[in-house]
Amino acid sequence: MNTHTNTVTGSQLESQGNALAVVPVTRPFYWSVRRELWENRSTYLAPLAAAAVFLFGFVIHTMVLRHRMHGIWTLSPEQQYDTFAAPYGIAAGLIMGTAFIVGVFYSLDALYGERRDRSIFFWKSLPVSDLTVVLSKVTIPIVILPLLSFAITIATQLMMLVLSSIVLMGSGLDIGTLWTHSSFLHVSLMLLYHIVTVHGLWYAPFYGWLLLISVLVRRAPFIWAFLPPFVIGVVEQMTFRTNHFFTMMVSRLMGPEVATPMGSSMMDQMAALTPARFFALPGLWIGLAIAAALLAAAVRLRRSRGPI
């Protein structure tokens, strides 16, 4: 009887082991990313809210502009187009800026919140490795948020084109110029390239640092994230009378430098940052190496951290 029971139990364990063996390695990572999106709805609600508020203001702006059309006819065709095209760049900047702020606060709370919330005291017993957890969390600000902000920006700009065409219809303006002056597909691809390279790869060290602070400290992660860089900059200024650290941080935040004429638009700057120039920047690879080191430290520290 015992032999039969042991045989059945052994066969069950073997079948379960075989079932686990065929599970793709990427599946835990996939579900970890989905779990982060389920538990952090602000990752997509905040950019959507920013887009909705901007669309409301854009409709009012377009209606007011319709009543002031007589002042636009005195401008050159290029100036007329710039008058109508300016809000599109503002919309993209607002949505991308909102996504970046969401990424900052998400990264600070990603590993800190799971230790603080006692209702998930079982978090270390989940069948997911520390590496998978950290990688799934850093994927949100580096991959998911940029792509979400891109999709929301494109949808918002399309709605702006439709709304402006409806509001300005019959005003004497050639509505077709709003659609044909610049290739919407070309501009969208340039925007996608900018978001992936700058907001994803270029900002990776920032998110790595924030995740390290999130797993390291026991309280006030926001203060600990921004206080050390501030102290380093102040000490450098007082000791050496230089601002190299602050300059480095600001230049990193502003994005890679490209040689463009004074007064160039954001589209001109994106066009100048070709893939060959971007991936040849030493600062990109130095930043990615720093980000990898910070994430490796976060993985190692998570193994020894307990609930707060």
Side-chain angles (χ1 to χ4, degrees), residues 241-258:
R241 301 297 179 182
T242 59
N243 294 306
H244 298 307
F245 184 79
F246 277 145
T247 302
M248 178 189 67
M249 296 296 292
V250 171
S251 63
R252 193 82 195 183
L253 185 62
M254 297 300 293
E257 296 182 0
V258 290

mmCIF file with all atom_site columns, all heavy atoms in Angstrom, residues 241-258:
data_model
loop_
_atom_site.group_PDB
_atom_site.id
_atom_site.type_symbol
_atom_site.label_atom_id
_atom_site.label_alt_id
_atom_site.label_comp_id
_atom_site.label_asym_id
_atom_site.label_entity_id
_atom_site.label_seq_id
_atom_site.pdbx_PDB_ins_code
_atom_site.Cartn_x
_atom_site.Cartn_y
_atom_site.Cartn_z
_atom_site.occupancy
_atom_site.B_iso_or_equiv
_atom_site.pdbx_formal_charge
_atom_site.auth_seq_id
_atom_site.auth_comp_id
_atom_site.auth_asym_id
_atom_site.auth_atom_id
_atom_site.pdbx_PDB_model_num
ATOM 1   N N   . ARG A 1 241 ? 34.986 75.073 -5.931  1.00 0.00 ? 241 ARG A N   1
ATOM 2   C CA  . ARG A 1 241 ? 34.423 76.214 -6.649  1.00 0.00 ? 241 ARG A CA  1
ATOM 3   C C   . ARG A 1 241 ? 34.062 75.835 -8.090  1.00 0.00 ? 241 ARG A C   1
ATOM 4   O O   . ARG A 1 241 ? 34.224 76.637 -9.014  1.00 0.00 ? 241 ARG A O   1
ATOM 5   C CB  . ARG A 1 241 ? 35.393 77.399 -6.650  1.00 0.00 ? 241 ARG A CB  1
ATOM 6   C CG  . ARG A 1 241 ? 35.777 77.898 -5.267  1.00 0.00 ? 241 ARG A CG  1
ATOM 7   C CD  . ARG A 1 241 ? 34.561 78.425 -4.545  1.00 0.00 ? 241 ARG A CD  1
ATOM 8   N NE  . ARG A 1 241 ? 34.904 78.888 -3.193  1.00 0.00 ? 241 ARG A NE  1
ATOM 9   C CZ  . ARG A 1 241 ? 34.005 79.364 -2.326  1.00 0.00 ? 241 ARG A CZ  1
ATOM 10  N NH1 . ARG A 1 241 ? 32.732 79.403 -2.671  1.00 0.00 ? 241 ARG A NH1 1
ATOM 11  N NH2 . ARG A 1 241 ? 34.374 79.750 -1.128  1.00 0.00 ? 241 ARG A NH2 1
ATOM 12  N N   . THR A 1 242 ? 33.590 74.640 -8.275  1.00 0.00 ? 242 THR A N   1
ATOM 13  C CA  . THR A 1 242 ? 33.162 74.176 -9.592  1.00 0.00 ? 242 THR A CA  1
ATOM 14  C C   . THR A 1 242 ? 31.747 73.606 -9.501  1.00 0.00 ? 242 THR A C   1
ATOM 15  O O   . THR A 1 242 ? 31.242 73.328 -8.406  1.00 0.00 ? 242 THR A O   1
ATOM 16  C CB  . THR A 1 242 ? 34.112 73.093 -10.136 1.00 0.00 ? 242 THR A CB  1
ATOM 17  O OG1 . THR A 1 242 ? 34.135 71.978 -9.223  1.00 0.00 ? 242 THR A OG1 1
ATOM 18  C CG2 . THR A 1 242 ? 35.522 73.654 -10.311 1.00 0.00 ? 242 THR A CG2 1
ATOM 19  N N   . ASN A 1 243 ? 31.120 73.419 -10.665 1.00 0.00 ? 243 ASN A N   1
ATOM 20  C CA  . ASN A 1 243 ? 29.752 72.896 -10.725 1.00 0.00 ? 243 ASN A CA  1
ATOM 21  C C   . ASN A 1 243 ? 29.651 71.731 -11.708 1.00 0.00 ? 243 ASN A C   1
ATOM 22  O O   . ASN A 1 243 ? 28.647 71.573 -12.398 1.00 0.00 ? 243 ASN A O   1
ATOM 23  C CB  . ASN A 1 243 ? 28.771 74.005 -11.146 1.00 0.00 ? 243 ASN A CB  1
ATOM 24  C CG  . ASN A 1 243 ? 28.658 75.092 -10.104 1.00 0.00 ? 243 ASN A CG  1
ATOM 25  O OD1 . ASN A 1 243 ? 28.383 74.822 -8.947  1.00 0.00 ? 243 ASN A OD1 1
ATOM 26  N ND2 . ASN A 1 243 ? 28.881 76.324 -10.528 1.00 0.00 ? 243 ASN A ND2 1
ATOM 27  N N   . HIS A 1 244 ? 30.700 70.920 -11.768 1.00 0.00 ? 244 HIS A N   1
ATOM 28  C CA  . HIS A 1 244 ? 30.713 69.838 -12.740 1.00 0.00 ? 244 HIS A CA  1
ATOM 29  C C   . HIS A 1 244 ? 29.603 68.818 -12.480 1.00 0.00 ? 244 HIS A C   1
ATOM 30  O O   . HIS A 1 244 ? 28.983 68.322 -13.429 1.00 0.00 ? 244 HIS A O   1
ATOM 31  C CB  . HIS A 1 244 ? 32.082 69.138 -12.722 1.00 0.00 ? 244 HIS A CB  1
ATOM 32  C CG  . HIS A 1 244 ? 33.219 70.033 -13.111 1.00 0.00 ? 244 HIS A CG  1
ATOM 33  N ND1 . HIS A 1 244 ? 33.228 70.760 -14.291 1.00 0.00 ? 244 HIS A ND1 1
ATOM 34  C CD2 . HIS A 1 244 ? 34.392 70.328 -12.489 1.00 0.00 ? 244 HIS A CD2 1
ATOM 35  C CE1 . HIS A 1 244 ? 34.349 71.456 -14.381 1.00 0.00 ? 244 HIS A CE1 1
ATOM 36  N NE2 . HIS A 1 244 ? 35.078 71.213 -13.292 1.00 0.00 ? 244 HIS A NE2 1
ATOM 37  N N   . PHE A 1 245 ? 29.362 68.504 -11.210 1.00 0.00 ? 245 PHE A N   1
ATOM 38  C CA  . PHE A 1 245 ? 28.349 67.491 -10.902 1.00 0.00 ? 245 PHE A CA  1
ATOM 39  C C   . PHE A 1 245 ? 26.956 67.989 -11.267 1.00 0.00 ? 245 PHE A C   1
ATOM 40  O O   . PHE A 1 245 ? 26.176 67.267 -11.907 1.00 0.00 ? 245 PHE A O   1
ATOM 41  C CB  . PHE A 1 245 ? 28.406 67.115 -9.424  1.00 0.00 ? 245 PHE A CB  1
ATOM 42  C CG  . PHE A 1 245 ? 27.462 66.003 -9.050  1.00 0.00 ? 245 PHE A CG  1
ATOM 43  C CD1 . PHE A 1 245 ? 27.794 64.684 -9.324  1.00 0.00 ? 245 PHE A CD1 1
ATOM 44  C CD2 . PHE A 1 245 ? 26.247 66.271 -8.439  1.00 0.00 ? 245 PHE A CD2 1
ATOM 45  C CE1 . PHE A 1 245 ? 26.927 63.653 -8.993  1.00 0.00 ? 245 PHE A CE1 1
ATOM 46  C CE2 . PHE A 1 245 ? 25.384 65.250 -8.103  1.00 0.00 ? 245 PHE A CE2 1
ATOM 47  C CZ  . PHE A 1 245 ? 25.724 63.938 -8.383  1.00 0.00 ? 245 PHE A CZ  1
ATOM 48  N N   . PHE A 1 246 ? 26.618 69.220 -10.865 1.00 0.00 ? 246 PHE A N   1
ATOM 49  C CA  . PHE A 1 246 ? 25.319 69.779 -11.210 1.00 0.00 ? 246 PHE A CA  1
ATOM 50  C C   . PHE A 1 246 ? 25.161 69.892 -12.721 1.00 0.00 ? 246 PHE A C   1
ATOM 51  O O   . PHE A 1 246 ? 24.093 69.604 -13.280 1.00 0.00 ? 246 PHE A O   1
ATOM 52  C CB  . PHE A 1 246 ? 25.130 71.149 -10.559 1.00 0.00 ? 246 PHE A CB  1
ATOM 53  C CG  . PHE A 1 246 ? 24.667 71.081 -9.135  1.00 0.00 ? 246 PHE A CG  1
ATOM 54  C CD1 . PHE A 1 246 ? 25.099 72.008 -8.202  1.00 0.00 ? 246 PHE A CD1 1
ATOM 55  C CD2 . PHE A 1 246 ? 23.796 70.097 -8.712  1.00 0.00 ? 246 PHE A CD2 1
ATOM 56  C CE1 . PHE A 1 246 ? 24.684 71.953 -6.890  1.00 0.00 ? 246 PHE A CE1 1
ATOM 57  C CE2 . PHE A 1 246 ? 23.363 70.018 -7.396  1.00 0.00 ? 246 PHE A CE2 1
ATOM 58  C CZ  . PHE A 1 246 ? 23.808 70.955 -6.484  1.00 0.00 ? 246 PHE A CZ  1
ATOM 59  N N   . THR A 1 247 ? 26.230 70.304 -13.405 1.00 0.00 ? 247 THR A N   1
ATOM 60  C CA  . THR A 1 247 ? 26.175 70.421 -14.863 1.00 0.00 ? 247 THR A CA  1
ATOM 61  C C   . THR A 1 247 ? 25.930 69.073 -15.512 1.00 0.00 ? 247 THR A C   1
ATOM 62  O O   . THR A 1 247 ? 25.144 68.943 -16.466 1.00 0.00 ? 247 THR A O   1
ATOM 63  C CB  . THR A 1 247 ? 27.485 71.026 -15.392 1.00 0.00 ? 247 THR A CB  1
ATOM 64  O OG1 . THR A 1 247 ? 27.689 72.305 -14.780 1.00 0.00 ? 247 THR A OG1 1
ATOM 65  C CG2 . THR A 1 247 ? 27.434 71.184 -16.901 1.00 0.00 ? 247 THR A CG2 1
ATOM 66  N N   . MET A 1 248 ? 26.591 68.028 -14.988 1.00 0.00 ? 248 MET A N   1
ATOM 67  C CA  . MET A 1 248 ? 26.408 66.686 -15.520 1.00 0.00 ? 248 MET A CA  1
ATOM 68  C C   . MET A 1 248 ? 24.970 66.208 -15.322 1.00 0.00 ? 248 MET A C   1
ATOM 69  O O   . MET A 1 248 ? 24.355 65.635 -16.232 1.00 0.00 ? 248 MET A O   1
ATOM 70  C CB  . MET A 1 248 ? 27.380 65.719 -14.851 1.00 0.00 ? 248 MET A CB  1
ATOM 71  C CG  . MET A 1 248 ? 27.240 64.284 -15.309 1.00 0.00 ? 248 MET A CG  1
ATOM 72  S SD  . MET A 1 248 ? 28.213 63.129 -14.311 1.00 0.00 ? 248 MET A SD  1
ATOM 73  C CE  . MET A 1 248 ? 27.337 63.252 -12.735 1.00 0.00 ? 248 MET A CE  1
ATOM 74  N N   . MET A 1 249 ? 24.398 66.461 -14.146 1.00 0.00 ? 249 MET A N   1
ATOM 75  C CA  . MET A 1 249 ? 23.037 66.021 -13.860 1.00 0.00 ? 249 MET A CA  1
ATOM 76  C C   . MET A 1 249 ? 22.028 66.754 -14.736 1.00 0.00 ? 249 MET A C   1
ATOM 77  O O   . MET A 1 249 ? 21.090 66.144 -15.277 1.00 0.00 ? 249 MET A O   1
ATOM 78  C CB  . MET A 1 249 ? 22.722 66.239 -12.375 1.00 0.00 ? 249 MET A CB  1
ATOM 79  C CG  . MET A 1 249 ? 23.567 65.408 -11.426 1.00 0.00 ? 249 MET A CG  1
ATOM 80  S SD  . MET A 1 249 ? 23.287 63.624 -11.598 1.00 0.00 ? 249 MET A SD  1
ATOM 81  C CE  . MET A 1 249 ? 21.614 63.499 -10.995 1.00 0.00 ? 249 MET A CE  1
ATOM 82  N N   . VAL A 1 250 ? 22.214 68.056 -14.884 1.00 0.00 ? 250 VAL A N   1
ATOM 83  C CA  . VAL A 1 250 ? 21.276 68.841 -15.696 1.00 0.00 ? 250 VAL A CA  1
ATOM 84  C C   . VAL A 1 250 ? 21.371 68.434 -17.158 1.00 0.00 ? 250 VAL A C   1
ATOM 85  O O   . VAL A 1 250 ? 20.341 68.283 -17.843 1.00 0.00 ? 250 VAL A O   1
ATOM 86  C CB  . VAL A 1 250 ? 21.551 70.346 -15.524 1.00 0.00 ? 250 VAL A CB  1
ATOM 87  C CG1 . VAL A 1 250 ? 20.730 71.159 -16.521 1.00 0.00 ? 250 VAL A CG1 1
ATOM 88  C CG2 . VAL A 1 250 ? 21.230 70.787 -14.103 1.00 0.00 ? 250 VAL A CG2 1
ATOM 89  N N   . SER A 1 251 ? 22.593 68.236 -17.667 1.00 0.00 ? 251 SER A N   1
ATOM 90  C CA  . SER A 1 251 ? 22.753 67.830 -19.059 1.00 0.00 ? 251 SER A CA  1
ATOM 91  C C   . SER A 1 251 ? 22.160 66.449 -19.294 1.00 0.00 ? 251 SER A C   1
ATOM 92  O O   . SER A 1 251 ? 21.613 66.175 -20.369 1.00 0.00 ? 251 SER A O   1
ATOM 93  C CB  . SER A 1 251 ? 24.232 67.853 -19.452 1.00 0.00 ? 251 SER A CB  1
ATOM 94  O OG  . SER A 1 251 ? 24.977 66.907 -18.692 1.00 0.00 ? 251 SER A OG  1
ATOM 95  N N   . ARG A 1 252 ? 22.266 65.583 -18.299 1.00 0.00 ? 252 ARG A N   1
ATOM 96  C CA  . ARG A 1 252 ? 21.652 64.257 -18.429 1.00 0.00 ? 252 ARG A CA  1
ATOM 97  C C   . ARG A 1 252 ? 20.134 64.371 -18.491 1.00 0.00 ? 252 ARG A C   1
ATOM 98  O O   . ARG A 1 252 ? 19.465 63.667 -19.260 1.00 0.00 ? 252 ARG A O   1
ATOM 99  C CB  . ARG A 1 252 ? 22.061 63.382 -17.250 1.00 0.00 ? 252 ARG A CB  1
ATOM 100 C CG  . ARG A 1 252 ? 21.735 61.906 -17.441 1.00 0.00 ? 252 ARG A CG  1
ATOM 101 C CD  . ARG A 1 252 ? 22.819 61.270 -18.264 1.00 0.00 ? 252 ARG A CD  1
ATOM 102 N NE  . ARG A 1 252 ? 22.427 59.970 -18.775 1.00 0.00 ? 252 ARG A NE  1
ATOM 103 C CZ  . ARG A 1 252 ? 23.239 59.190 -19.478 1.00 0.00 ? 252 ARG A CZ  1
ATOM 104 N NH1 . ARG A 1 252 ? 24.462 59.580 -19.760 1.00 0.00 ? 252 ARG A NH1 1
ATOM 105 N NH2 . ARG A 1 252 ? 22.827 58.027 -19.929 1.00 0.00 ? 252 ARG A NH2 1
ATOM 106 N N   . LEU A 1 253 ? 19.589 65.254 -17.672 1.00 0.00 ? 253 LEU A N   1
ATOM 107 C CA  . LEU A 1 253 ? 18.147 65.424 -17.638 1.00 0.00 ? 253 LEU A CA  1
ATOM 108 C C   . LEU A 1 253 ? 17.631 66.083 -18.910 1.00 0.00 ? 253 LEU A C   1
ATOM 109 O O   . LEU A 1 253 ? 16.533 65.759 -19.389 1.00 0.00 ? 253 LEU A O   1
ATOM 110 C CB  . LEU A 1 253 ? 17.756 66.259 -16.416 1.00 0.00 ? 253 LEU A CB  1
ATOM 111 C CG  . LEU A 1 253 ? 16.263 66.441 -16.147 1.00 0.00 ? 253 LEU A CG  1
ATOM 112 C CD1 . LEU A 1 253 ? 15.605 65.083 -15.881 1.00 0.00 ? 253 LEU A CD1 1
ATOM 113 C CD2 . LEU A 1 253 ? 16.040 67.371 -14.969 1.00 0.00 ? 253 LEU A CD2 1
ATOM 114 N N   . MET A 1 254 ? 18.396 66.999 -19.482 1.00 0.00 ? 254 MET A N   1
ATOM 115 C CA  . MET A 1 254 ? 17.974 67.711 -20.690 1.00 0.00 ? 254 MET A CA  1
ATOM 116 C C   . MET A 1 254 ? 18.106 66.863 -21.941 1.00 0.00 ? 254 MET A C   1
ATOM 117 O O   . MET A 1 254 ? 17.557 67.213 -22.989 1.00 0.00 ? 254 MET A O   1
ATOM 118 C CB  . MET A 1 254 ? 18.798 68.993 -20.856 1.00 0.00 ? 254 MET A CB  1
ATOM 119 C CG  . MET A 1 254 ? 18.603 70.007 -19.744 1.00 0.00 ? 254 MET A CG  1
ATOM 120 S SD  . MET A 1 254 ? 16.892 70.560 -19.583 1.00 0.00 ? 254 MET A SD  1
ATOM 121 C CE  . MET A 1 254 ? 16.702 71.443 -21.121 1.00 0.00 ? 254 MET A CE  1
ATOM 122 N N   . GLY A 1 255 ? 18.809 65.763 -21.862 1.00 0.00 ? 255 GLY A N   1
ATOM 123 C CA  . GLY A 1 255 ? 18.971 64.900 -23.026 1.00 0.00 ? 255 GLY A CA  1
ATOM 124 C C   . GLY A 1 255 ? 20.318 65.105 -23.685 1.00 0.00 ? 255 GLY A C   1
ATOM 125 O O   . GLY A 1 255 ? 21.041 66.061 -23.382 1.00 0.00 ? 255 GLY A O   1
ATOM 126 N N   . PRO A 1 256 ? 20.673 64.223 -24.613 1.00 0.00 ? 256 PRO A N   1
ATOM 127 C CA  . PRO A 1 256 ? 21.973 64.347 -25.283 1.00 0.00 ? 256 PRO A CA  1
ATOM 128 C C   . PRO A 1 256 ? 22.065 65.620 -26.098 1.00 0.00 ? 256 PRO A C   1
ATOM 129 O O   . PRO A 1 256 ? 21.095 66.060 -26.716 1.00 0.00 ? 256 PRO A O   1
ATOM 130 C CB  . PRO A 1 256 ? 22.023 63.094 -26.181 1.00 0.00 ? 256 PRO A CB  1
ATOM 131 C CG  . PRO A 1 256 ? 20.603 62.699 -26.362 1.00 0.00 ? 256 PRO A CG  1
ATOM 132 C CD  . PRO A 1 256 ? 19.892 63.080 -25.106 1.00 0.00 ? 256 PRO A CD  1
ATOM 133 N N   . GLU A 1 257 ? 23.241 66.220 -26.085 1.00 0.00 ? 257 GLU A N   1
ATOM 134 C CA  . GLU A 1 257 ? 23.458 67.464 -26.822 1.00 0.00 ? 257 GLU A CA  1
ATOM 135 C C   . GLU A 1 257 ? 23.663 67.158 -28.303 1.00 0.00 ? 257 GLU A C   1
ATOM 136 O O   . GLU A 1 257 ? 24.389 66.244 -28.671 1.00 0.00 ? 257 GLU A O   1
ATOM 137 C CB  . GLU A 1 257 ? 24.684 68.202 -26.275 1.00 0.00 ? 257 GLU A CB  1
ATOM 138 C CG  . GLU A 1 257 ? 24.524 68.654 -24.832 1.00 0.00 ? 257 GLU A CG  1
ATOM 139 C CD  . GLU A 1 257 ? 25.735 69.408 -24.341 1.00 0.00 ? 257 GLU A CD  1
ATOM 140 O OE1 . GLU A 1 257 ? 26.690 69.572 -25.124 1.00 0.00 ? 257 GLU A OE1 1
ATOM 141 O OE2 . GLU A 1 257 ? 25.730 69.832 -23.173 1.00 0.00 ? 257 GLU A OE2 1
ATOM 142 N N   . VAL A 1 258 ? 23.007 67.961 -29.134 1.00 0.00 ? 258 VAL A N   1
ATOM 143 C CA  . VAL A 1 258 ? 23.181 67.848 -30.585 1.00 0.00 ? 258 VAL A CA  1
ATOM 144 C C   . VAL A 1 258 ? 23.460 69.231 -31.140 1.00 0.00 ? 258 VAL A C   1
ATOM 145 O O   . VAL A 1 258 ? 22.975 70.235 -30.622 1.00 0.00 ? 258 VAL A O   1
ATOM 146 C CB  . VAL A 1 258 ? 21.926 67.250 -31.257 1.00 0.00 ? 258 VAL A CB  1
ATOM 147 C CG1 . VAL A 1 258 ? 21.767 65.791 -30.901 1.00 0.00 ? 258 VAL A CG1 1
ATOM 148 C CG2 . VAL A 1 258 ? 20.677 68.026 -30.874 1.00 0.00 ? 258 VAL A CG2 1
#
